[in-house]
Coordinates of all heavy atoms in Angstrom, one line a residue:
M1 N 199.6 178.1 121.0 CA 200.0 178.2 122.3 C 200.6 176.9 122.8 O 200.1 175.8 122.5 CB 198.8 178.6 123.2 CG 198.3 180.0 122.9 SD 196.8 180.3 123.9 CE 197.6 181.0 125.4
D2 N 201.7 177.0 123.7 CA 202.2 175.7 124.2 C 201.8 175.5 125.6 O 201.1 176.4 126.2 CB 203.7 175.7 124.1 CG 204.4 176.8 124.9 OD1 203.7 177.4 125.8 OD2 205.6 177.1 124.7
C3 N 202.2 174.4 126.2 CA 201.7 174.0 127.5 C 202.1 175.0 128.6 O 201.3 175.3 129.5 CB 202.2 172.6 127.9 SG 201.5 171.3 126.8
K4 N 203.3 175.6 128.5 CA 203.7 176.6 129.4 C 202.8 177.8 129.5 O 202.5 178.3 130.5 CB 205.2 177.0 129.1 CG 206.2 176.0 129.6 CD 206.5 176.1 131.1 CE 207.2 174.8 131.5 NZ 206.8 174.4 132.9
A5 N 202.4 178.2 128.3 CA 201.6 179.4 128.2 C 200.2 179.1 128.8 O 199.6 179.9 129.5 CB 201.4 179.8 126.7
I6 N 199.7 177.9 128.5 CA 198.4 177.5 129.1 C 198.5 177.4 130.6 O 197.6 177.9 131.3 CB 198.0 176.1 128.5 CG1 197.9 176.1 127.0 CG2 196.7 175.6 129.2 CD1 196.9 177.0 126.5
E7 N 199.6 176.9 131.1 CA 199.7 176.8 132.6 C 199.6 178.1 133.2 O 199.0 178.3 134.3 CB 201.1 176.2 132.8 CG 201.2 175.5 134.2 CD 202.5 174.8 134.4 OE1 202.6 173.6 133.9 OE2 203.5 175.3 134.8
R8 N 200.2 179.2 132.6 CA 200.2 180.5 133.1 C 198.8 181.1 133.1 O 198.4 181.9 133.9 CB 201.1 181.4 132.4 CG 202.6 181.3 132.8 CD 203.4 182.4 132.3 NE 203.3 182.6 130.9 CZ 204.1 182.0 130.0 NH1 205.0 181.2 130.4 NH2 203.9 182.2 128.7
E9 N 198.0 180.7 132.1 CA 196.7 181.3 131.9 C 195.5 180.5 132.2 O 194.4 180.9 132.0 CB 196.6 181.7 130.4 CG 197.8 182.6 130.0 CD 197.5 183.7 129.0 OE1 196.3 184.1 129.0 OE2 198.3 184.1 128.3
I10 N 195.7 179.3 132.7 CA 194.6 178.4 132.9 C 193.6 178.9 133.9 O 192.4 178.7 133.7 CB 195.1 177.0 133.3 CG1 194.0 176.0 133.0 CG2 195.6 176.9 134.7 CD1 194.4 174.6 132.8
F11 N 194.0 179.7 134.9 CA 193.0 180.3 135.8 C 192.2 181.3 135.1 O 191.0 181.4 135.4 CB 193.8 180.9 137.0 CG 194.0 179.9 138.1 CD1 195.3 179.4 138.3 CD2 193.0 179.5 138.9 CE1 195.6 178.5 139.3 CE2 193.3 178.6 140.0 CZ 194.5 178.1 140.1
R12 N 192.7 182.1 134.2 CA 191.9 183.0 133.5 C 190.8 182.3 132.7 O 189.7 182.7 132.7 CB 192.8 183.7 132.4 CG 193.7 184.8 132.8 CD 194.3 185.4 131.6 NE 195.6 186.1 131.9 CZ 195.6 187.3 132.3 NH1 194.4 188.0 132.4 NH2 196.7 187.9 132.6
F13 N 191.2 181.2 132.1 CA 190.2 180.4 131.4 C 189.1 179.9 132.3 O 187.9 180.0 132.0 CB 190.9 179.2 130.7 CG 189.9 178.3 129.9 CD1 189.5 178.7 128.7 CD2 189.5 177.1 130.5 CE1 188.6 177.9 128.0 CE2 188.6 176.4 129.8 CZ 188.1 176.7 128.6
I14 N 189.5 179.3 133.4 CA 188.5 178.8 134.4 C 187.6 179.8 134.9 O 186.4 179.6 135.0 CB 189.3 178.1 135.5 CG1 189.9 176.8 135.0 CG2 188.3 177.7 136.6 CD1 190.9 176.1 135.9
Y15 N 188.2 181.0 135.1 CA 187.3 182.1 135.6 C 186.7 182.9 134.5 O 185.9 183.9 134.8 CB 188.1 183.1 136.5 CG 188.5 182.5 137.9 CD1 189.8 182.2 138.2 CD2 187.4 182.2 138.8 CE1 190.1 181.6 139.5 CE2 187.7 181.7 140.0 CZ 189.0 181.4 140.4 OH 189.3 180.8 141.6
G16 N 187.0 182.6 133.3 CA 186.5 183.3 132.1 C 187.0 184.8 132.1 O 186.3 185.7 131.5
E17 N 188.2 185.0 132.5 CA 188.8 186.3 132.4 C 189.6 186.5 131.2 O 190.1 185.5 130.6 CB 189.7 186.6 133.6 CG 189.1 186.6 135.0 CD 190.1 186.5 136.2 OE1 191.3 186.3 135.9 OE2 189.6 186.5 137.3
G18 N 189.8 187.7 130.7 CA 190.6 187.9 129.5 C 189.7 188.0 128.3 O 188.5 187.8 128.3
D19 N 190.3 188.3 127.2 CA 189.5 188.5 125.9 C 189.1 187.2 125.3 O 189.7 186.2 125.5 CB 190.3 189.4 124.9 CG 191.5 188.8 124.4 OD1 192.6 188.9 125.1 OD2 191.5 188.1 123.4
A20 N 188.0 187.2 124.6 CA 187.4 186.0 124.1 C 188.3 185.3 123.1 O 188.3 184.0 123.1 CB 186.1 186.4 123.3
D21 N 189.1 186.0 122.3 CA 190.0 185.3 121.4 C 191.0 184.4 122.1 O 191.3 183.3 121.7 CB 190.7 186.3 120.5 CG 191.5 185.7 119.5 OD1 190.9 184.9 118.7 OD2 192.7 186.0 119.4
R22 N 191.5 185.0 123.2 CA 192.5 184.3 124.0 C 191.9 183.0 124.6 O 192.5 182.0 124.6 CB 193.1 185.2 125.1 CG 194.4 184.7 125.6 CD 195.3 185.9 126.1 NE 196.6 185.4 126.4 CZ 197.6 185.4 125.5 NH1 197.3 185.8 124.2 NH2 198.8 184.9 125.8
L23 N 190.7 183.2 125.2 CA 190.0 182.1 125.9 C 189.7 181.0 124.8 O 189.8 179.8 125.1 CB 188.7 182.6 126.5 CG 188.9 183.6 127.7 CD1 187.6 184.0 128.3 CD2 189.8 183.0 128.8
R24 N 189.4 181.4 123.6 CA 189.1 180.4 122.5 C 190.4 179.6 122.2 O 190.4 178.4 122.0 CB 188.7 181.1 121.3 CG 187.2 181.0 121.0 CD 186.8 181.3 119.6 NE 187.3 182.6 119.2 CZ 186.6 183.7 119.4 NH1 185.5 183.7 120.0 NH2 187.1 184.9 119.0
R25 N 191.5 180.3 122.2 CA 192.8 179.7 121.9 C 193.2 178.7 123.0 O 193.7 177.6 122.8 CB 193.9 180.6 121.6 CG 193.7 181.3 120.3 CD 195.0 181.9 119.8 NE 195.3 183.1 120.4 CZ 196.5 183.7 120.4 NH1 197.5 183.1 119.8 NH2 196.8 184.8 121.0
I26 N 192.9 179.1 124.3 CA 193.2 178.2 125.4 C 192.3 176.9 125.3 O 192.7 175.8 125.4 CB 193.0 178.9 126.7 CG1 194.0 180.0 126.9 CG2 193.1 177.9 127.9 CD1 193.7 181.0 128.1
K27 N 191.0 177.2 125.0 CA 190.1 176.0 124.8 C 190.5 175.1 123.7 O 190.5 173.9 123.9 CB 188.7 176.5 124.6 CG 187.7 175.4 124.3 CD 186.3 175.8 124.6 CE 185.4 174.5 124.6 NZ 185.8 173.4 123.9
A28 N 191.0 175.7 122.6 CA 191.4 174.8 121.5 C 192.6 173.9 121.9 O 192.7 172.8 121.5 CB 191.8 175.7 120.3
H29 N 193.5 174.5 122.7 CA 194.6 173.7 123.2 C 194.1 172.6 124.2 O 194.5 171.5 124.1 CB 195.6 174.6 123.9 CG 196.8 173.9 124.4 ND1 198.0 173.7 123.7 CD2 197.0 173.2 125.6 CE1 198.8 173.0 124.4 NE2 198.3 172.7 125.5
L30 N 193.2 172.9 125.1 CA 192.7 172.0 126.0 C 192.0 170.8 125.3 O 192.0 169.6 125.7 CB 191.7 172.6 127.0 CG 192.3 173.6 128.0 CD1 191.2 174.3 128.7 CD2 193.3 172.9 128.9
D31 N 191.4 171.1 124.1 CA 190.7 170.1 123.3 C 191.7 169.0 122.8 O 191.3 167.9 122.5 CB 189.9 170.7 122.2 CG 188.6 171.3 122.7 OD1 188.2 171.1 123.9 OD2 188.0 172.2 122.0
V32 N 192.9 169.4 122.5 CA 193.9 168.5 121.9 C 195.0 168.0 122.8 O 195.7 167.2 122.5 CB 194.5 169.2 120.7 CG1 193.4 169.5 119.6 CG2 195.3 170.4 121.0
C33 N 195.1 168.6 124.0 CA 196.2 168.3 124.9 C 195.7 167.7 126.2 O 195.1 168.4 127.0 CB 197.0 169.6 125.2 SG 198.4 169.2 126.3
G34 N 195.9 166.4 126.3 CA 195.4 165.7 127.5 C 196.1 166.2 128.8 O 195.4 166.2 129.9
H35 N 197.3 166.6 128.8 CA 198.0 167.1 129.9 C 197.3 168.3 130.5 O 197.0 168.4 131.7 CB 199.5 167.3 129.5 CG 200.3 168.0 130.6 ND1 200.9 167.3 131.6 CD2 200.5 169.4 130.9 CE1 201.5 168.2 132.4 NE2 201.3 169.5 132.0
C36 N 197.1 169.3 129.6 CA 196.5 170.5 130.1 C 195.0 170.3 130.5 O 194.5 170.9 131.4 CB 196.6 171.6 129.0 SG 198.3 172.1 128.8
A37 N 194.3 169.4 129.8 CA 192.9 169.2 130.1 C 192.8 168.5 131.5 O 191.9 168.9 132.2 CB 192.3 168.3 129.0
R38 N 193.8 167.7 131.8 CA 193.8 167.0 133.1 C 194.1 168.1 134.2 O 193.4 168.1 135.3 CB 194.9 166.0 133.1 CG 194.9 165.1 134.4 CD 195.9 163.9 134.2 NE 196.9 163.9 135.1 CZ 196.8 163.3 136.3 NH1 195.7 162.8 136.6 NH2 197.8 163.3 137.2
E39 N 195.0 169.0 133.9 CA 195.3 170.1 134.9 C 194.0 170.9 135.1 O 193.7 171.2 136.2 CB 196.4 170.9 134.3 CG 197.4 171.4 135.4 CD 198.6 172.0 134.8 OE1 198.6 173.2 134.4 OE2 199.6 171.3 134.6
R40 N 193.3 171.2 134.0 CA 192.1 172.0 134.1 C 191.1 171.3 135.0 O 190.4 171.9 135.9 CB 191.5 172.3 132.7 CG 190.4 173.2 132.6 CD 189.0 172.5 132.5 NE 189.0 171.2 131.8 CZ 188.8 171.1 130.5 NH1 188.5 172.1 129.8 NH2 188.8 169.9 129.9
D41 N 190.9 169.9 134.8 CA 190.0 169.2 135.5 C 190.3 169.1 137.0 O 189.5 169.2 137.9 CB 189.9 167.7 135.0 CG 189.3 167.7 133.6 OD1 188.7 168.7 133.2 OD2 189.4 166.7 133.0
I42 N 191.6 169.0 137.3 CA 192.1 169.0 138.7 C 191.8 170.3 139.4 O 191.2 170.3 140.5 CB 193.6 168.6 138.8 CG1 193.9 167.2 138.3 CG2 194.1 168.8 140.2 CD1 195.3 166.9 138.1
I43 N 192.1 171.4 138.7 CA 191.9 172.7 139.3 C 190.4 173.0 139.5 O 190.0 173.4 140.6 CB 192.5 173.8 138.4 CG1 194.0 173.7 138.4 CG2 192.1 175.2 138.9 CD1 194.7 174.6 137.4
T44 N 189.6 172.7 138.5 CA 188.1 173.0 138.7 C 187.6 172.1 139.8 O 186.7 172.5 140.6 CB 187.3 172.7 137.4 OG1 187.7 171.4 136.9 CG2 187.7 173.7 136.4
G45 N 188.1 170.9 140.0 CA 187.7 170.0 141.1 C 188.0 170.6 142.4 O 187.2 170.6 143.3
I46 N 189.2 171.0 142.5 CA 189.7 171.6 143.8 C 188.9 172.9 144.1 O 188.4 173.1 145.3 CB 191.2 172.0 143.8 CG1 192.0 170.7 143.7 CG2 191.6 172.8 145.0 CD1 193.5 170.9 143.4
L47 N 188.7 173.7 143.1 CA 187.9 175.0 143.4 C 186.5 174.7 143.8 O 185.9 175.3 144.6 CB 188.0 175.9 142.1 CG 189.3 176.4 141.8 CD1 189.3 177.2 140.5 CD2 189.8 177.4 142.9
A48 N 185.9 173.6 143.1 CA 184.5 173.3 143.5 C 184.4 172.8 145.0 O 183.6 173.2 145.7 CB 184.0 172.2 142.6
Q49 N 185.4 172.0 145.4 CA 185.5 171.6 146.8 C 185.6 172.8 147.7 O 185.0 172.8 148.8 CB 186.7 170.6 147.0 CG 186.4 169.2 146.5 CD 187.6 168.3 146.6 OE1 188.6 168.6 147.3 NE2 187.6 167.2 145.9
L50 N 186.5 173.6 147.4 CA 186.7 174.8 148.2 C 185.5 175.6 148.4 O 185.1 176.1 149.4 CB 187.9 175.7 147.6 CG 189.3 175.2 147.8 CD1 190.2 176.0 147.0 CD2 189.7 175.1 149.2
K51 N 184.8 175.8 147.2 CA 183.6 176.6 147.2 C 182.5 175.9 148.1 O 181.8 176.6 148.9 CB 183.0 176.7 145.8 CG 182.8 178.2 145.4 CD 182.4 178.2 143.9 CE 181.2 179.1 143.9 NZ 180.4 179.0 142.6
D52 N 182.4 174.6 148.1 CA 181.5 173.9 148.9 C 181.8 174.0 150.4 O 180.9 174.2 151.2 CB 181.4 172.4 148.5 CG 180.8 172.2 147.2 OD1 180.2 173.1 146.7 OD2 180.9 171.1 146.6
G53 N 183.1 173.9 150.7 CA 183.5 174.0 152.1 C 183.4 175.4 152.7 O 183.1 175.5 153.9
Y54 N 183.7 176.4 151.9 CA 183.8 177.7 152.4 C 183.0 178.7 151.5 O 183.6 179.5 150.8 CB 185.2 178.2 152.5 CG 186.1 177.2 153.2 CD1 186.9 176.3 152.5 CD2 186.2 177.2 154.6 CE1 187.7 175.4 153.1 CE2 187.0 176.3 155.3 CZ 187.8 175.4 154.6 OH 188.5 174.5 155.2
P55 N 181.7 178.5 151.4 CA 180.9 179.3 150.4 C 181.0 180.8 150.5 O 180.9 181.5 149.6 CB 179.5 178.8 150.6 CG 179.5 178.2 152.0 CD 180.8 177.7 152.2
D56 N 181.2 181.3 151.8 CA 181.2 182.7 152.0 C 182.6 183.4 152.0 O 182.7 184.6 152.0 CB 180.5 183.1 153.3 CG 179.0 182.6 153.2 OD1 178.4 182.7 152.1 OD2 178.5 182.2 154.3
D57 N 183.6 182.5 152.0 CA 185.0 183.1 152.2 C 185.6 183.3 150.8 O 185.4 182.5 149.9 CB 185.9 182.1 152.9 CG 185.5 181.9 154.4 OD1 184.8 182.8 154.8 OD2 186.0 181.0 155.0
P58 N 186.3 184.4 150.6 CA 187.0 184.6 149.4 C 188.2 183.7 149.3 O 188.6 183.2 150.3 CB 187.5 186.1 149.5 CG 187.5 186.4 151.0 CD 186.5 185.5 151.6
V59 N 188.6 183.4 148.1 CA 189.8 182.5 148.0 C 191.0 183.2 148.6 O 191.3 184.3 148.2 CB 190.0 182.2 146.5 CG1 191.3 181.4 146.3 CG2 188.8 181.5 145.9
P60 N 191.7 182.5 149.5 CA 192.8 183.2 150.2 C 194.0 183.5 149.3 O 194.2 182.8 148.3 CB 193.2 182.2 151.3 CG 192.4 181.0 151.1 CD 191.4 181.2 150.0
A61 N 194.7 184.6 149.6 CA 195.9 184.9 148.8 C 196.9 183.8 148.8 O 197.1 183.2 149.8 CB 196.5 186.2 149.4
G62 N 197.5 183.6 147.7 CA 198.5 182.6 147.5 C 197.9 181.2 147.2 O 198.7 180.3 147.0
L63 N 196.6 181.1 147.3 CA 196.0 179.7 147.0 C 196.3 179.2 145.6 O 196.6 178.1 145.4 CB 194.5 179.8 147.3 CG 193.8 178.4 147.1 CD1 194.3 177.4 148.2 CD2 192.3 178.5 147.1
R64 N 196.2 180.1 144.7 CA 196.4 179.7 143.3 C 197.8 179.1 143.1 O 197.9 178.0 142.5 CB 196.3 180.9 142.3 CG 194.9 181.5 142.2 CD 195.0 182.6 141.2 NE 193.7 183.3 141.1 CZ 193.2 183.9 140.1 NH1 194.0 184.1 139.0 NH2 192.0 184.4 140.1
E65 N 198.8 179.7 143.7 CA 200.1 179.2 143.6 C 200.3 177.8 144.3 O 200.9 176.9 143.8 CB 201.1 180.2 144.2 CG 201.3 181.5 143.4 CD 200.1 182.4 143.5 OE1 199.3 182.2 144.4 OE2 200.0 183.2 142.5
R66 N 199.6 177.7 145.5 CA 199.7 176.4 146.2 C 199.0 175.3 145.4 O 199.5 174.2 145.3 CB 199.1 176.6 147.6 CG 199.9 177.4 148.6 CD 199.8 176.9 150.0 NE 198.4 176.9 150.5 CZ 197.8 178.0 150.9 NH1 198.4 179.2 150.9 NH2 196.5 178.0 151.3
V67 N 197.9 175.7 144.9 CA 197.1 174.7 144.0 C 197.9 174.3 142.8 O 198.1 173.1 142.5 CB 195.8 175.2 143.6 CG1 195.1 174.3 142.6 CG2 194.8 175.4 144.8
L68 N 198.5 175.2 142.2 CA 199.3 174.9 141.0 C 200.5 174.1 141.4 O 200.9 173.1 140.7 CB 199.8 176.2 140.3 CG 198.8 176.9 139.4 CD1 199.4 178.2 138.9 CD2 198.4 176.0 138.3
A69 N 201.2 174.4 142.5 CA 202.3 173.6 143.0 C 201.9 172.2 143.2 O 202.6 171.2 142.8 CB 202.9 174.2 144.2
S70 N 200.8 171.9 143.9 CA 200.4 170.6 144.2 C 200.0 169.8 142.9 O 200.2 168.6 142.8 CB 199.2 170.5 145.2 OG 198.2 171.3 144.8
I71 N 199.4 170.5 141.9 CA 199.1 169.9 140.7 C 200.4 169.4 140.0 O 200.4 168.4 139.4 CB 198.3 170.8 139.8 CG1 196.9 171.0 140.4 CG2 198.2 170.3 138.3 CD1 196.2 172.2 139.9
R72 N 201.4 170.3 140.0 CA 202.6 170.0 139.3 C 203.2 168.7 139.9 O 203.7 167.8 139.2 CB 203.6 171.1 139.5 CG 204.4 171.4 138.3 CD 205.0 172.7 138.3 NE 204.1 173.8 137.8 CZ 204.0 175.0 138.3 NH1 204.7 175.3 139.4 NH2 203.2 175.8 137.8
I73 N 203.1 168.5 141.2 CA 203.6 167.3 141.9 C 202.7 166.1 141.4 O 203.2 165.1 141.1 CB 203.5 167.5 143.4 CG1 204.5 168.5 143.9 CG2 203.8 166.1 144.1 CD1 204.3 169.1 145.3
A74 N 201.4 166.3 141.4 CA 200.5 165.2 141.0 C 200.7 164.8 139.6 O 200.7 163.6 139.3 CB 199.1 165.7 141.2
V75 N 201.0 165.8 138.7 CA 201.1 165.4 137.3 C 202.5 164.8 137.0 O 202.6 163.9 136.3 CB 200.9 166.7 136.4 CG1 201.3 166.4 135.0 CG2 199.4 167.1 136.5
D76 N 203.5 165.4 137.6 CA 204.9 165.0 137.3 C 205.2 163.7 138.1 O 206.0 162.9 137.6 CB 205.9 166.1 137.7 CG 205.7 167.3 136.8 OD1 205.1 167.1 135.7 OD2 206.2 168.4 137.2
G77 N 204.7 163.5 139.3 CA 205.0 162.4 140.1 C 204.2 161.3 139.7 O 204.2 160.2 139.8
Ligands
LIG1 ZN1 199.1 171.4 126.9

């Protein structure tokens, strides 16, 4: 799997969605790719903060996209 594929599926991995084989392959990539591992760390950090701030609220629609967009800026810039 390449970084683009990981980027599309990283939320699945974080939430543990999808089949086990796919999640294993994503994890294998994260183990060897610092770029994607950093992205995973940023996302899990943001999600943890959101959960602390709004424990009873569901994640709003469109949030994943906004988070991913801000990460792209953080990583590329
Ligand atoms: Zn990667």
Side-chain angles (χ1 to χ4, degrees):
M1 295 178 84
D2 63 16
C3 295
K4 282 281 166 214
I6 300 297
E7 199 173 277
R8 280 196 304 273
E9 305 218 24
I10 198 157
F11 274 103
R12 281 184 202 277
F13 177 78
I14 290 168
Y15 286 114
E17 296 167 355
D19 63 273
D21 184 55
R22 199 153 191 86
L23 296 180
R24 255 199 305 277
R25 286 202 283 164
I26 294 171
K27 175 157 190 339
H29 182 93
L30 291 172
D31 285 344
V32 298
C33 179
H35 172 87
C36 291
R38 189 167 120 87
E39 220 170 83
R40 187 260 328 266
D41 290 345
I42 293 170
I43 292 171
T44 52
I46 291 169
L47 291 175
Q49 281 176 15
L50 287 173
K51 236 178 130 195
D52 288 347
Y54 311 95
D56 297 325
D57 290 347
V59 177
L63 179 68
R64 290 181 184 206
E65 288 71 20
R66 287 212 303 279
V67 170
L68 279 177
S70 57
I71 289 162
R72 220 161 275 138
I73 292 163
V75 170
D76 295 341

